[in-house]
Amino acid sequence: MAGFSGLTVVECVKAFDIVNPAIQQAMKSGIVNRQAGFLVVLDPATPWEPKYKKADERFEEEIVLFNNFFGHPDHWEYPYDKIALSKAFISWKTGRSSREVQLEAPYLYEAGMTKYGGSAVGPGGLVVAFSGVEEHFDQMFSEMMRAAIKGVCLHEMHKPKGVMNSADNFLTSCLTEAPGVAAKIIPGRKDSKVRCLSYQAHNFASCIKYQ
């Protein structure tokens, strides 16, 4: 029986598989202003602590669960990865979307934080952020991914062989790789828990954290 013990990169990949076609279509059709961007999902099991001061390498290494880029980073007009990570950090620390902080609680800003909105916060602290297109579409893509993650997690629990249809009283852990995903250690980071996924079906590379 497949176990489910909370959000892992496997559920993130499955959720991304759902929303990616819509994001790609929005970019190709010209509904959004460019075909570039960066999506990031944080580990909801890890709450913010004062030791995390900003969206730096430590934050990315320890808190980021999944990310994906659109377009070639070398051709980006702006550093969308850094902007998305800053949006995610703002939401992680404040519990509000970066758009809410911008419009309703600007007194929560600190030096070095991005001024842009474009993140989503789910119940329990699930944070998703996107940067690359207009702020309202950044937020829309973030909300789409957040909703897809929730749906995938519910599916994992309620599917025929899921925990809700078993005699088990407690969740069990069984981390497996999603179909079509190959993992390898990122060069230069051999001691890290972060690994790189190559998902050829959608031609993207994502950096994730295995639990």
Side-chain angles (χ1 to χ4, degrees):
M1 180 175 294
F4 175 78
S5 57
L7 182 63
T8 71
V9 65
V10 175
E11 289 76 33
C12 289
V13 170
K14 290 179 179 179
F16 183 79
D17 194 37
I18 295 170
V19 303
N20 182 45
I23 296 175
Q24 296 282 4
Q25 178 59 29
M27 290 181 173
K28 292 176 181 178
S29 67
I31 292 176
V32 299
N33 62 3
R34 61 176 62 87
Q35 296 185 40
F38 191 84
L39 175 74
V40 60
V41 179
L42 303 187
D43 184 355
T46 306
W48 177 80
E49 297 179 62
K51 66 180 181 180
Y52 296 100
K53 304 296 184 183
K54 56 184 179 180
D56 55 13
E57 184 176 344
R58 180 183 185 183
F59 163 76
E60 188 174 358
E61 181 99 359
E62 299 178 1
I63 308 303
V64 171
L65 183 63
F66 172 91
N67 66 53
N68 176 76
F69 60 84
F70 296 82
H72 199 293
D74 289 344
H75 301 153
W76 285 350
E77 185 177 1
Y78 301 104
Y80 301 123
D81 52 347
K82 294 181 179 179
I83 297 172
L85 287 166
S86 183
K87 292 179 184 182
F89 182 84
I90 290 170
S91 292
W92 185 50
K93 182 176 181 180
T94 67
R96 294 172 171 265
S97 73
S98 52
R99 182 71 167 171
E100 285 183 290
V101 173
Q102 179 196 81
L103 297 177
E104 301 176 14
Y107 41 80
L108 295 177
Y109 277 134
E110 298 175 8
M113 290 180 169
T114 184
K115 63 184 180 181
Y116 298 114
S119 63
V121 182
L126 173 60
V127 172
V128 181
F130 189 96
S131 177
V133 294
E134 300 94 327
E135 283 185 77
H136 49 281
F137 284 124
D138 284 345
Q139 183 162 346
M140 183 184 79
F141 293 157
S142 299
E143 291 173 350
M144 288 165 55
M145 183 65 174
R146 182 201 61 77
I149 288 173
K150 178 181 177 180
V152 167
C153 289
L154 286 170
H155 170 72
E156 291 300 313
M157 293 188 69
H158 289 271
K159 64 186 181 181
K161 293 185 178 181
V163 66
M164 298 305 295
N165 291 305
S166 75
D168 296 335
N169 293 313
F170 301 97
L171 303 180
T172 58
S173 178
C174 182
L175 180 60
T176 58
E177 293 181 7
V181 177
K184 63 180 180 181
I185 296 176
I186 298 175
R189 301 175 76 170
K190 295 181 179 179
D191 297 329
S192 173
K193 291 183 180 179
V194 178
R195 285 169 168 74
C196 189
L197 289 177
S198 296
Y199 195 25
Q200 299 302 327
H202 292 300
N203 190 28
F204 73 81
S206 301
C207 294
I208 56 88
K209 183 180 72 176
Y210 276 94
Q211 296 181 348

